[in-house]
Structures are given as C-alpha cells and as structure tokens.
Amino acid sequence: MRTNQKKWKLLRVAGWVQKLFQNNFGFMGLLFLLNYTTMAWSLWRAKEIELVIGYGFSLFMAVTAVTMVMQIFPTVKIKNVLKGILLFISGLPFLIEMFAMYNYKALIGAGIINAVLETNSHEAVEFWKMYIGFQGVAAVVGMILFLVFVQRYRILARIKISRRKQNRLVFLLLIVSSLATLRICTAYAGLLENGSLDLPVQRTYTSMQTAINNIEAYQELSSKLNVKSSITDNKSEIPQVVFILGEATNRQHMHLYGYNLPNTPNLDELKRKNEISVFTDCISPHSTTVSVLRDLFTFADYESDKEWYEYNNLIDVMNNAGYKTFWLSNQESAGIWGNVAQLYAKRSTKHEFTRLRDSHEDFGSLDGELFPMIDGAMQEQAAKNFYVIHLMGGHSLYYSRFPYSFAKFTKDDITREATEEQKIVLAQYANAIYYNDYIVSGIIDKFREQEALVIYLPDHGETIYDNSNFAGHVEENPNRYMLEVPMIIWASDLFKAKYPEKWRQIQAAVNKPYMTDDMIHTVLDLVDIKTSEFDPTKSIINAKFDAGRKRMIQGRDYDTEIKPVN
C-alpha cells in the first residue's frame, strides 16, 4: 500500500512537472538549445559522447529548476519579462559561439573577444563579408522564423500523447536526468571547476574578463618599458638592420616553399642567386597578431615565469645599443584597446604610419604606400639604424591586399579540390602573396647598395581551406597552417664581404626547427648584442642552439600533436 502511495505521489509530481512543461515548453526548449548546442557540438568533435549525453540531461534539470523557480512570481507579465531577459542573455552568446564553432571549431574564448575588441570598423566590414555575409543573416532569420512558427501554431502541442504516458515519460526523464547530473558532478568535477562545462554566457563573461585583463596588461607594458635594458656586451656595427614584419602568411601557399602557382617570382630569383636564406621549419607561438607580438619582440616565451610585459623588448635594446629605431607601419596608428604594436612603435626613435587612424578607422592602404616612407626614413638615417616595417601582407579580405595590376591568378588556376567560391578566395590569396613578393623584394632592393641585413618574418600563418572549409586564423584551436610561417634572411654583398662567417651561420641554420617566440635572441645574436636575458641556446644561428627544445602551443606539442593531426 505504501509503495503504491509513494508511486502515486511521484506520478503527481511528474504530472505537475508535465504541466510545467506544457505551459512553458517553448521557453524551456529554446533556453535549453541556446545553452546546449555549442557545447554539445564541441564535445561531439572531441568524441566525448558520454559528456554530450550527460551534459544534456544535466542542463535539462537546470532549465527545469529555473522554470520552477520562476513560478513563485505572481503575475504572467513578470514571468514573461524574466523569460525575455534569460533568452536574451543566452541568445547573444549563443549566436557568437555558433559563429565561432562553425568557423573556428572552438568555443568562445579570450582570443575571440580580444579580436572583437581590437577590430576597427573597416576590419569589421571585411570580417562581415568574409565570414557572415547575407547567407549568415538569412540563416539566423530563418531559424528565428522557424521557432516563431512552431510557437505560434503550437506544432508540438498537436502531437497527441495521453496524459498518463506524458506523466510516465516526464517521471523517467527526471530520474535519468538526476542520475546524469550526479554522474557529471562526481566523475567530471575537474571540468566543472575549471570552467570547461560552463554555459555560453559564463564563457563570454570570463573571456571578457580575460580580454580586459589583457588590455590592462598592454597599459602595464607601456610603464614596464620605461625600465632600461641591461646590455652586457655591445659589439654591434651593422649600419642597416631591417625587420620586415609580415601578416597572416601561409608558407605552403608560396611558390618559394613549393606551392604550385608561381606567386613568388622575385624571391624565387633571389634564392636561385643564393642571395637569401630560406628557413624551412619555423612556426609562430600563436595564431593572432597581438598574442605573437607579446613574445616576438620580448624575451617572453612559453617557458616564462613572469608576465610577458615584464621582460625587456627589442626596441629598447636596440635604442640602448646606439641604433636609431624606425617603426614604419601599414597597420593602425592608434588602438583604443592599447594594441601592443603601437606600444613598440612609440618606443621607437621615429614611428610613422601610412594613415593616421585609430581602431575605428581604416582606409584600406596597400603595402606599396610604405615605399616612400622607407625612402624618407633612409634620408634620416644615423650611423646605425634598425627598421621594423609592418605589412598588411595576407590579412583578409585577401582581395584588398593587392592592386588590380597584381590580379595574376583566377579561380581557373586553382587545380585542387574546392568549391567555386573557395577557388575564388584561393586565387585572391595567391595574388596577395604575389603582391607581397613584390613588396618584400622591393624593400630588399632599397638596401642593396648598403651594408645591410634584412629579415622577413610574418607574425603568424593563415589557413586557406587547407584542412577544412575555413579560411583565416584564430587564437583558439589553431591548426598547423595558422602557425607555420616563412622566414627569410637576406644580406647585401657588403655585409657578406665583412661578415662571411655570420652569413655561413645563417645558411647552416635554414633547416633547424624554430619557434619565433625566441626571435629576439636570434636578432641580437646577428647584430652582436648581448643582454642579461640573452640565451644562445635560443638563437637559431648560434652553435649552442638547442634544436631539441619542444615547441609548445597552448600546452600542445606542435611536432607530435598539431603538425601530424592537422
């Protein structure tokens, strides 16, 4: 008898919950989908099937509990307002994360938030065209209209199931969900603690906090850079040292590195004449500009035990070693969020930009506009000069990176398996690399008659449908194509005549594995400057270079986990 009474009470509870579902089905279903879909997608890609199922049941319990709590409010109007608020704060992060998952195969993180905060208006338009466009808008509108249709015409309510069966189904669902929640809380407690199973709104909030902390770190960097670098040895004599900082360049899409389209004719010729050393196994430490620049021009690397902005930087070292420093850039001249590049620029003796613009403006300048600026800087040169020339290179949208006269390749030249639209983009990128070849070789030509050393190194790579339907780069979940970069060193005849042993060291290093978070060590080694932070084992041209050092990307070994997989 007591067993029957307990069963009856449980079924009554189930009946009450079933009524709750019936009256709030649209809200509960939508709230569940907004908070479940992206996480389930991510877990499914990671083949965590148990978590996909368990997370779903746990979230179902949470949505049910939230809806139950809302019943304490006395009026329908208050309940509807609360429902609207919950759907809004769930819906916006959901849309952002759906975009991130579709394009980057990653949940939202600080890298994506940083990109949003740092993007200027022109880049936002380019981003819209390349990744969203009218198709993306149509998809969102279509989804909204479908949900409105289902709710308006009560499609699900037309499915006829007896009340008794509904109660039994709800009862079973509650039992299974309770067990699944218990399983998640015990077996996967670590994932809950570190935020791996957070809701989209939680991830957005924590990522925003991290992004803001990064912005504050940029400001901190500015104050830290006031500390003078500790030079322990300065034998530098090279009068012209040029660092060409490229952008978003995939070496596997360069003919110089074996790509099938002849889009690097000038660099190919320089290699044929043995005028350049082409490094074959270099990777960047990150896949976004700001993250790379933290390490590229400081002594920070993945093994660091201090924040990146607490280390000395290359610009200050060169200043203190007696070099006149120039920062010549085709990127923004001021960033509202304190772009790291601008902090380095302001430390230079002279900094100049193709356009005076901030994060909200962009006039689409081509890298060719840097040529007269370089000519002007060379007219102001001192006995020793160090140039950083910051290109737009292969940054999307790719068709904005070259003039019409460099539209050499079309979709008909793309022979690989791809859609028509992808072939158009591939051709555009090939043309961007073709124009970049002209820019880099043109800069080299300006220093041909001087005693000069020129280094060309992009900040990071770019994936162009290489292993997915995505073109671009993102900090979260980078693949090998976003990390693998070309690295080229050119030396004039005067340099080679004066430093034959140094040129031999450069040539002997071209096939060594290298990650560019150690680039500052190589640059200082090349120019014979030592500081207390200099480490010869991290200079690729040094006899003490450690070629066996692991190349770690966000805790993953590039050589064993990223390169073979992607």
Side-chain angles (χ1 to χ4, degrees):
M1 175 69 76
R2 289 183 179 179
T3 302
N4 290 335
Q5 287 178 342
K6 289 180 179 179
K7 182 178 179 181
W8 175 249
K9 287 180 180 180
L10 288 172
L11 288 175
R12 285 184 63 184
V13 171
W16 183 82
V17 175
Q18 186 277 331
K19 188 175 181 181
L20 183 77
F21 290 168
Q22 188 175 19
N23 294 336
N24 300 275
F25 187 85
F27 164 73
M28 294 178 69
L30 186 56
L31 187 63
F32 176 84
L33 290 174
L34 291 177
N35 288 283
Y36 177 69
T37 307
T38 51
M39 176 59 76
W41 187 354
S42 177
L43 293 173
W44 183 271
R45 290 191 74 255
K47 295 181 172 56
E48 296 286 354
I49 309 304
E50 181 184 356
L51 267 177
V52 172
I53 298 169
Y55 183 78
F57 280 114
S58 301
L59 185 59
F60 168 78
M61 284 292 290
V63 169
T64 302
V66 168
T67 309
M68 285 180 177
V69 171
M70 291 178 61
Q71 304 314 302
I72 67 175
F73 294 96
T75 66
V76 174
K77 185 175 182 180
I78 294 176
K79 293 175 185 176
N80 288 338
V81 169
L82 290 174
K83 288 179 182 178
I85 292 173
L86 284 174
L87 290 176
F88 177 78
I89 63 177
S90 299
L92 189 58
F94 165 77
L95 291 175
I96 297 172
E97 199 157 70
M98 278 293 289
F99 169 81
M101 280 301 301
Y102 180 78
N103 286 290
Y104 309 141
K105 304 299 183 289
L107 297 172
I108 195 167
I112 292 173
I113 296 296
N114 266 326
V116 172
L117 295 180
E118 293 161 1
T119 297
N120 57 54
S121 59
H122 184 76
E123 288 175 337
V125 171
E126 291 186 343
F127 192 82
W128 172 276
K129 290 179 180 178
M130 186 161 190
Y131 298 127
I132 303 176
F134 292 107
Q135 289 182 342
V137 175
V140 173
V141 171
M143 181 178 66
I144 293 173
L145 290 176
F146 173 76
L147 293 173
V148 170
F149 174 79
V150 171
Q151 180 70 12
R152 174 69 177 81
Y153 292 99
R154 301 178 64 82
I155 301 299
L156 297 175
R158 298 184 182 188
I159 302 174
K160 300 299 182 181
I161 303 176
S162 69
R163 178 63 59 85
R164 187 174 182 179
K165 287 183 178 179
Q166 289 181 29
N167 290 349
R168 291 178 182 276
L169 182 61
V170 168
F171 176 73
L172 178 62
L173 196 56
L174 289 174
I175 293 298
V176 173
S177 297
S178 299
L179 294 174
T181 302
L182 182 62
R183 168 71 176 167
I184 291 289
C185 292
T186 54
Y188 298 98
L191 296 180
L192 291 172
E193 290 173 4
N194 65 23
S196 297
L197 297 178
D198 280 350
L199 301 175
V201 66
Q202 292 175 286
R203 284 190 290 275
T204 302
Y205 176 73
T206 54
S207 297
M208 183 72 74
Q209 284 185 315
T210 302
I212 291 173
N213 289 338
N214 287 340
I215 292 166
E216 292 173 350
Y218 303 157
Q219 297 170 345
E220 182 74 8
L221 171 61
S222 183
S223 63
K224 293 291 182 182
L225 286 176
N226 291 325
V227 179
K228 295 224 178 246
S229 59
S230 52
I231 294 178
T232 58
D233 188 25
N234 181 13
K235 298 176 182 176
S236 59
E237 296 179 352
I238 306 170
Q240 308 288 354
V241 181
V242 184
F243 195 109
I244 305 174
L245 178 58
E247 171 72 48
T249 304
N250 182 331
R251 71 171 182 241
Q252 295 192 34
H253 285 251
M254 300 174 68
H255 187 265
L256 182 68
Y257 282 86
Y259 191 55
N260 65 309
L261 296 181
N263 59 354
T264 55
N266 297 320
L267 292 175
D268 289 344
E269 181 65 11
L270 292 177
K271 182 180 180 182
R272 188 187 68 80
K273 294 179 177 179
N274 200 33
E275 291 190 30
I276 57 175
S277 292
V278 180
F279 290 75
T280 61
D281 193 12
C282 288
I283 65 168
S284 61
H286 301 277
S287 51
T288 55
T289 302
V290 171
S291 297
V292 170
L293 292 186
R294 295 174 192 163
D295 297 345
L296 184 65
F297 287 115
T298 72
F299 287 99
D301 55 36
Y302 76 85
E303 297 171 320
S304 298
D305 56 4
K306 298 186 295 185
E307 295 293 340
W308 59 275
Y309 50 78
E310 296 183 41
Y311 290 88
N312 283 312
N313 69 91
L314 183 60
I315 303 301
D316 274 355
V317 173
M318 298 302 282
N319 283 333
N320 294 332
Y323 276 85
K324 184 174 183 178
T325 53
F326 298 85
W327 190 283
L328 309 176
S329 175
N330 191 29
Q331 301 211 7
E332 64 188 40
S333 61
I336 189 172
W337 302 112
N339 188 295
V340 176
Q342 313 323 315
L343 295 174
Y344 294 137
K346 291 174 183 177
R347 300 299 298 173
S348 302
T349 309
K350 179 176 182 178
H351 58 273
E352 189 175 357
F353 300 82
T354 54
R355 291 289 186 275
L356 293 177
R357 60 181 179 86
D358 63 16
S359 297
H360 300 291
E361 300 172 331
D362 188 357
F363 302 100
S365 305
L366 294 170
D367 284 335
E369 294 195 33
L370 287 163
F371 284 158
M373 289 169 47
I374 298 170
D375 293 337
M378 293 178 71
Q379 296 299 316
E380 304 175 23
Q381 63 187 20
K384 297 192 299 184
N385 305 278
F386 177 68
Y387 304 82
V388 175
I389 303 173
H390 199 177
L391 311 180
M392 281 299 288
H395 195 287
S396 63
L397 288 166
Y398 311 128
Y399 61 72
S400 297
R401 304 301 161 220
F402 58 91
Y404 179 78
S405 59
F406 279 80
K408 177 181 177 67
F409 306 104
T410 69
K411 64 181 180 63
D412 296 330
D413 296 305
I414 306 301
T415 57
R416 54 169 283 188
E417 188 77 21
T419 67
E420 287 296 299
E421 184 177 348
Q422 289 174 345
K423 287 184 177 182
I424 291 172
V425 175
L426 284 162
Q428 291 169 351
Y429 191 74
N431 288 327
I433 298 299
Y434 181 48
Y435 183 61
N436 186 70
D437 172 78
Y438 162 76
I439 295 297
V440 173
S441 60
I443 294 172
I444 288 174
D445 285 341
K446 291 182 180 296
F447 294 90
R448 187 168 291 279
E449 303 304 320
Q450 303 194 41
E451 185 184 316
L453 185 69
V454 178
I455 302 166
Y456 168 64
L457 176 68
D459 50 6
H460 54 77
E462 186 91 342
T463 185
I464 317 294
Y465 312 121
D466 291 292
N467 67 342
S468 68
N469 292 324
F470 174 65
H473 57 271
V474 66
E475 183 67 6
E476 288 78 13
N477 195 29
N479 61 33
R480 61 181 295 185
Y481 307 100
M482 300 179 194
L483 301 170
E484 295 172 355
V485 290
M487 182 170 134
I488 298 166
I489 297 181
W490 173 89
S492 67
D493 291 338
L494 289 174
F495 177 94
K496 292 173 184 176
K498 188 171 182 179
Y499 304 100
E501 181 56 30
K502 196 175 292 290
W503 181 244
R504 280 193 290 271
Q505 289 176 321
I506 293 171
Q507 289 184 305
V510 294
N511 293 318
K512 295 178 182 178
Y514 198 54
M515 189 159 76
T516 59
D517 58 350
D518 289 336
M519 194 63 200
I520 190 170
H521 300 276
T522 296
V523 174
L524 295 184
D525 209 4
L526 284 167
V527 297
D528 295 313
I529 298 172
K530 304 294 183 290
T531 74
S532 58
E533 295 168 301
F534 172 77
D535 184 348
T537 68
K538 295 181 179 181
S539 166
I540 195 171
I541 67 161
N542 200 288
K544 297 180 181 180
F545 175 66
D546 180 9
R549 177 176 176 251
K550 288 186 176 181
R551 296 184 284 183
M552 303 298 293
I553 308 293
Q554 299 176 17
R556 300 165 65 198
D557 189 319
Y558 162 79
D559 292 287
T560 62
E561 298 180 61
I562 297 178
K563 183 178 181 179
V565 174
N566 295 306

